[in-house]
Amino acid sequence: AQVTDIGPTGLSYQTRVKTADGSERLESHRLPTRTIVWAAGVAGSPLGRELARSTGCNLDRAGRVLVQPDLSLAGHPEIQVVGDLASAKSYLDPQSPTPVPGVSPAAKQMGRRAAKNLLHRMKGRETKPFVYADYGSLATIGRKAAIAMVDMPVFGRVKFSGFSAWLFWLFVHIYFLIGFRNRLFVMWDWAWAYFTAQRNARVVPDAPTPSTLPEHGASRQAA
Ligand SMILES: Cc1cc2nc3c(=O)[nH]c(=O)nc-3n(C[C@H](O)[C@H](O)[C@H](O)COP(=O)(O)OP(=O)(O)OC[C@H]3O[C@@H](n4cnc5c(N)ncnc54)[C@H](O)[C@@H]3O)c2cc1C
């Protein structure tokens, strides 16, 4: 099914149905609802399409760039793609590589691998395949609870939930931010959002073009 429209009272979608003569036609449906949870995933940046056009590299269904084990492009070892734009695999077991999830730890680890491979190449050494280290998952549920599944050095995989997991989630997210200033601003933003139940959204409108700007002289004359 493909969603074609979302509104305040529901959504519309289309499905493909087979007709008696074997051909396909689209059938439109309406699903009345006031609660919509969108979980269709994200698409790769348009930069992926640009790379495919200029280098001939392949993209996956989401528009992400299919990369080599060392995160470079096939036929272009001088170009490496990391993070959400890369459709990468982890080569912990080289015989059965596994897909890398689109999360920030994976993006950071790919960045480190790409930098190391760049140094390897400069020294004339062989590059290494990317291996993703999954340290676990954290997710908040509401305002005071979270679930945590974390790999600890001695204890192995530890699972906990509730308020302690929520505090742990807060700590981890602040800790991994780069720079004291970022940490301070995010803590302030979160505290504001938490205690006022309001979000500080940054809205970036299109830059005004000369035709949309008020005419300066005219408004001054009118005043
Ligand atoms: C709603 C949402 C919730 C998420 N929650 C989590 C979570 O809880 N935990 C987690 O680990 N991950 C989460 N993720 C995923 C995480 O945000 C990404 O995996 C991570 O940010 C990827 O990092 P990146 O550097 O590859 O891409 P990004 O962080 O997207 O950075 C790419 C940057 O490149 C810029 N850019 C794009 N095109 C160009 C261009 N042509 N020229 C110059 N600059 C360009 C973009 O503006 C952007 O700043 C979430 C993602 C979404 C969308």
Side-chain angles (χ1 to χ4, degrees), residues 42 45-47 82-86 101-108 138-139 169 173:
V42 289
S45 154
L47 188 59
V82 302
D84 279 4
L85 188 57
V103 290
S104 24
K108 285 163 77 177
L138 293 169
W169 181 95
H173 280 75

